[in-house]
Amino acid sequence: MSSYIQGQQLRNNGPVLVQVEFEVYGGVQGVNFTKYCKEMCGRFDLKGWTKLSPYGTVQGILQGERANVDEMAMWLQHQGSPGSRIEHCELRNWQILDKYDYRHFNVRF
């Protein structure tokens, strides 16, 4: 494996930690989306937060190992909570992290 590829997969002899902001559009309020989002983030060992926005969307920040954040991004884009209807999901401001900024994943109000 080339050093370039190793550098992309590992950082400081460990997995690459990333952060991404998300906003999910569609029928995502009134269907326990934030509750299921928190549950899924627990399964993927992700940190950050989510909340209902005043614009009818769900917003938040994910932090974790790149592969786990990618899996959660797929859930946000294509699955969501039971009863939700996802039109689209924006993933923006991707960053590589040296350490977590959050200790847990929480639902904000």
Side-chain angles (χ1 to χ4, degrees):
M1 184 182 298
S2 74
S3 61
Y4 173 77
I5 293 172
Q6 287 176 340
Q8 292 298 314
Q9 293 175 349
L10 300 175
R11 183 179 174 121
N12 299 329
N13 297 323
V16 174
L17 297 179
V18 298
Q19 171 179 294
V20 66
E21 298 171 12
F22 68 87
E23 187 162 9
V24 185
Y25 296 81
V28 293
Q29 292 197 359
V31 291
N32 294 312
F33 199 97
T34 56
K35 174 186 166 240
Y36 281 91
C37 183
K38 180 179 179 181
E39 182 180 301
M40 291 301 296
C41 285
R43 290 183 190 177
F44 291 120
D45 193 30
L46 299 177
K47 319 290 187 222
W49 56 268
T50 188
K51 70 176 184 176
L52 300 176
S53 80
Y55 311 107
T57 64
V58 172
Q59 301 172 326
I61 292 178
L62 303 173
Q63 292 185 338
E65 294 180 16
R66 177 64 196 247
N68 293 345
V69 171
D70 287 344
E71 287 291 326
M72 187 61 194
M74 293 297 289
W75 185 87
L76 291 168
Q77 292 173 309
H78 301 290
Q79 184 173 346
S81 66
S84 66
R85 182 184 44 78
I86 297 169
E87 291 177 8
H88 73 280
C89 175
E90 291 182 6
L91 301 167
R92 56 185 173 263
N93 298 325
W94 284 88
Q95 300 174 29
I96 294 177
L97 302 175
D98 290 324
K99 62 182 179 62
Y100 291 109
D101 294 324
Y102 303 96
R103 291 179 39 183
H104 306 285
F105 192 90
N106 295 305
V107 176
R108 292 185 174 179
F109 299 96

